[in-house]
């Protein structure tokens, strides 16, 4: 039983004007199943911070956000009291520098949209992690996947990194199934391709192992 579990899920949506936005293909399935599994195992109260998605779990404290900046504020508010933090959200790396309050008019053949980097929420909370807190991140890589993932594990001070290899055989974001690797500072384990529901259960097994508690 954990005192409090924090899960982020879904995409973030970064508005450009009243009708347009930047986002990604995250369905929120993995985050949803992580929350549902934590509830059905009775692992502790769950705060679920989610970008716009159709999949919202029951029996959680739900915080709905749109942008990366809103997600950051919500995570910082709940982070300190959380014993396990699972960052499954696909946070948009960039947002438009400017928000155009009127719908942008169709104009020239080419236009330029200037983007600015969003805060890296996981990096920030990794730096603030205290003893006893377990921090889990996700990564989606297409090249040099282990080198990049290992760097991320260290840079973000993670206890566990769920690594998706994005390829034609494993689109990861959109599908029902996923094949991942579980990276810990002391090693890597390849999981077979499985449903996102089963994957959520395997991730909780691993977290229980990290916490030294039975799953
Ligand atoms: O560095 P990268 O974006 O690949 O890291 C992915 C992990 O970091 C995920 O766990 C995601 O939830 C988190 N993340 C974040 N804030 C960002 C970008 C990613 O918390 N701006």
């Amino acid at each position: 039983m954990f005192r409090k579990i924090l899960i982020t899920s879904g995409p973030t949506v970064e508005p450009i004007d009243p009708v347009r936005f930047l986002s990604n293909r995250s369905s929120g399935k993995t985050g949803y199943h992580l929350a549902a599994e934590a509830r059905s195992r009775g692992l502790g109260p769950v705060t679920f911070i989610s970008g716009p998605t159709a999949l919202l779990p029951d029996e959680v404290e739900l915080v709905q956000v749109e942008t990366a900046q809103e997600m950051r504020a919500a995570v910082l508010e709940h982070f300190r009291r959380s014993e396990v933090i699972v960052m499954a959200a696909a946070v948009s790396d960039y947002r438009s520098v400017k928000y155009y309050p009127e719908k942008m008019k169709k104009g020239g053949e080419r236009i330029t949209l200037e983007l600015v980097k969003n805060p890296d929420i996981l990096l920030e909370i990794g730096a603030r992690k205290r003893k006893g807190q377990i921090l889990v991140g996700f990564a989606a890589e297409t090249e040099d996947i282990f080198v990049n993932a290992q760097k991320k594990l260290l840079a973000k001070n993670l206890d566990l990194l769920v690594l998706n290899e994005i390829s034609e055989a494993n689109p990861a974001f959109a599908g029902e199934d996923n094949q991942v690797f579980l990276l810990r500072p002391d090693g890597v384990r390849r999981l077979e391709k499985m449903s996102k529901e089963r994957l959520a259960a395997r991730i909780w097994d691993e977290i229980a192992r990290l916490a030294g508690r039975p799953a």
Side-chain angles (χ1 to χ4, degrees), residues 101-166:
E102 307 294 339
K103 183 180 167 212
M104 287 170 78
K105 292 259 180 295
K106 184 158 44 178
E109 273 315 306
R110 290 180 181 213
I111 59 167
T112 303
L113 182 66
E114 198 182 349
L115 304 182
V116 60
K117 214 172 197 172
N118 265 329
D120 189 327
I121 308 165
L122 187 52
L123 183 73
E124 250 181 272
I125 64 168
R128 298 181 188 195
K129 187 178 76 172
R130 284 173 290 111
K131 202 164 172 274
Q133 284 184 311
I134 296 176
L135 186 56
V136 182
F138 282 69
E141 303 284 351
T142 56
E143 356 167 44
D144 294 333
I145 66 167
F146 294 110
V147 177
N148 287 328
Q150 200 67 39
K151 273 190 204 153
K152 213 163 274 184
L153 186 80
L154 288 177
K156 302 194 182 194
N157 196 18
L158 306 181
D159 301 287
L160 180 65
L161 180 72
V162 183
L163 169 62
N164 296 284
E165 180 178 16
I166 306 280

Side-chain angles (χ1 to χ4, degrees), residues 29-50:
K29 274 193 190 115
T30 300
Y32 170 86
H33 289 301
L34 282 164
E37 184 71 18
R39 293 307 300 144
S40 71
R41 288 190 188 190
L43 293 178
V46 175
T47 299
F48 192 79
I49 301 175
S50 180

